């Protein structure tokens, strides 16, 4: 880790440096860049989205580099969030078309998915993980080493993106076509539930990688424990004929009524 103090500060940040590195200053800088698209690096954000599927470890190595150069783990560029929002809007409109929803119904679904599923659930999960990691997983509790809330939110966004692509995009091509995964046919719910298994598995694994990349955390392997009940639920769903995709379609239609 590169030093963040000057040789004449006796180990303490100057007032200007301290202000620059406060959580409020970081948050203000991040939100301000949302209004300046030319300052966002969309090419780099697309690179991250690609590697979240093929090699998510490389994405978190970049987070480590940011900590060394900018003294923060969380992203300071909202380009990834903007592109994720675009993906979310496009895939939700696709869901509306596949489920034969009207324009107003699709808009209601879009608002619900963005405000509740993405932002609301994201804030809840990020805050929960922020509390758990800082309370139970720190090697040595200290003000100098703790998990940034912004980083916890970034980890959630990283893990959410593959789940979004699999369940909100790839799955669309199978709902009413190919194997009709919302039907009672065995191949239908087998393919559908397998997509759910892969998507949630991606979420759990990328979440684990995110916190495992922090050198001051311990026992991060516990974040992989949910794979056991996930596998059990998958086996039970296939054995008992549960169809998660049909339930999702019903829930989406019920939301917009």
């Amino acid at each position: 880790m590169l030093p963040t103090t000057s040789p004449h500060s006796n180990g303490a940040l100057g007032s200007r440096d301290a202000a620059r590195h406060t959580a409020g200053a970081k948050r203000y800088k991040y939100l301000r860049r949302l209004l300046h698209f030319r300052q966002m690096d969309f090419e780099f954000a697309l690179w991250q989205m690609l590697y979240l599927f093929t090699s998510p470890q490389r994405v978190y190595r970049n987070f480590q580099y940011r900590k060394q150069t900018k003294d923060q783990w969380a992203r300071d560029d909202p380009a990834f969030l903007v592109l994720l929002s675009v993906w979310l809007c496009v895939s939700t409109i696709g869901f509306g078309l596949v489920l034969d929803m009207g324009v107003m119904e699709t808009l209601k679904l879009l608002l619900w998915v963005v405000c509740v599923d993405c932002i609301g659930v994201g804030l809840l999960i990020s805050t929960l993980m922020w509390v758990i990691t800082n309370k139970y997983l720190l090697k040595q509790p200290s003000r100098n080493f703790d998990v940034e809330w912004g980083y916890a939110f970034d980890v959630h966004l990283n893990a959410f993106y593959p789940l979004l692509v699999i369940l909100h995009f790839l799955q669309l091509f199978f709902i009413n076509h190919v194997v009709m995964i919302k039907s009672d046919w065995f191949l239908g719910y087998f393919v559908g539930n397998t997509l759910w298994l892969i998507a949630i598995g991606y979420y759990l694994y990328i979440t684990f990688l995110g916190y495992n990349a922090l050198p001051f955390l311990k026992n991060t392997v516990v974040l992989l424990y949910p794979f056991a009940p996930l596998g059990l639920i998958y086996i039970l769903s296939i054995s008992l004929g549960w169809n998660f995709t049909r339930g999702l379609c019903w829930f989406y239609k019920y939301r917009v009524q």
Side-chain angles (χ1 to χ4, degrees):
M1 184 181 300
L2 295 180
T4 59
T5 60
S6 66
H8 304 291
S9 61
N10 296 323
L13 285 173
S15 58
R16 182 177 298 178
D17 291 335
R20 186 173 64 245
H21 292 296
T22 61
K26 294 175 182 178
R27 183 165 55 249
Y28 172 75
K29 180 181 178 181
Y30 184 87
L31 294 176
R32 186 181 61 181
R33 293 189 68 177
L34 277 172
L35 304 176
H36 300 85
F37 283 88
R38 292 184 179 180
Q39 296 181 9
M40 299 184 197
D41 191 347
F42 290 105
E43 182 178 355
F44 181 67
L46 286 171
W47 172 88
Q48 289 185 317
M49 288 181 165
L50 172 64
Y51 278 105
L52 281 173
F53 275 100
T54 60
S55 182
Q57 297 91 335
R58 296 185 63 175
V59 176
Y60 287 114
R61 281 200 293 270
N62 175 261
F63 278 76
Q64 294 171 334
Y65 175 74
R66 183 184 301 109
K67 176 61 177 177
Q68 294 175 337
T69 56
K70 299 183 179 181
D71 195 31
Q72 71 177 63
W73 290 96
R75 288 187 176 97
D76 60 346
D77 184 351
F80 187 92
L81 178 61
V82 172
L83 291 180
L84 180 65
S85 300
V86 172
W87 262 104
L88 192 61
C89 292
V90 172
S91 61
T92 302
I93 293 173
F95 245 105
L97 293 174
V98 169
L99 298 180
D100 295 322
M101 293 182 180
V103 175
M104 292 305 300
E105 291 178 329
T106 302
L107 289 177
K108 289 180 182 179
L109 178 63
L110 179 60
L111 289 174
W112 185 282
V113 170
V114 172
C115 297
V116 179
D117 291 352
C118 183
I119 299 177
V121 175
L123 294 176
L124 178 62
I125 293 177
S126 302
T127 303
L128 182 63
M129 293 301 299
W130 175 66
V131 172
I132 291 175
T133 52
N134 282 316
K135 189 172 183 179
Y136 299 107
L137 299 184
L138 288 179
K139 292 179 179 178
Q140 295 180 346
S142 168
R143 290 185 178 181
N144 296 325
F145 296 99
D146 63 348
V147 178
E148 303 170 6
W149 186 91
Y151 181 78
F153 187 65
D154 279 337
V155 170
H156 166 72
L157 293 182
N158 290 342
F160 181 74
Y161 172 68
L163 183 146
L164 171 68
V165 172
I166 294 172
L167 297 183
H168 253 235
F169 180 71
L170 294 180
Q171 190 170 223
L172 292 179
F173 299 98
F174 297 92
I175 290 181
N176 292 326
H177 305 285
V178 187
V179 293
M180 294 188 65
I181 58 179
K182 69 174 183 177
S183 67
D184 291 325
W185 190 26
F186 170 78
L187 185 59
Y189 62 76
F190 173 76
V191 172
N193 291 2
T194 300
L195 288 176
W196 278 84
L197 175 69
I198 296 172
I200 298 176
Y202 255 113
Y203 186 92
L204 294 175
Y205 180 61
I206 292 177
T207 298
F208 160 74
L209 290 178
Y211 293 103
N212 192 57
L214 301 179
F216 49 85
L217 293 184
K218 63 180 180 180
N219 300 328
T220 53
V221 69
V222 300
L223 300 177
L224 294 176
Y225 289 176
F227 270 103
L230 175 64
L232 178 60
I233 292 173
Y234 173 73
I235 295 173
L236 285 175
S237 69
I238 299 300
S239 303
L240 300 177
W242 299 341
N243 193 321
F244 298 136
T245 301
R246 185 170 61 183
L248 177 67
C249 293
W250 175 85
F251 185 54
Y252 274 178
K253 287 187 174 182
Y254 173 77
R255 282 178 169 180
V256 299
Q257 289 179 354

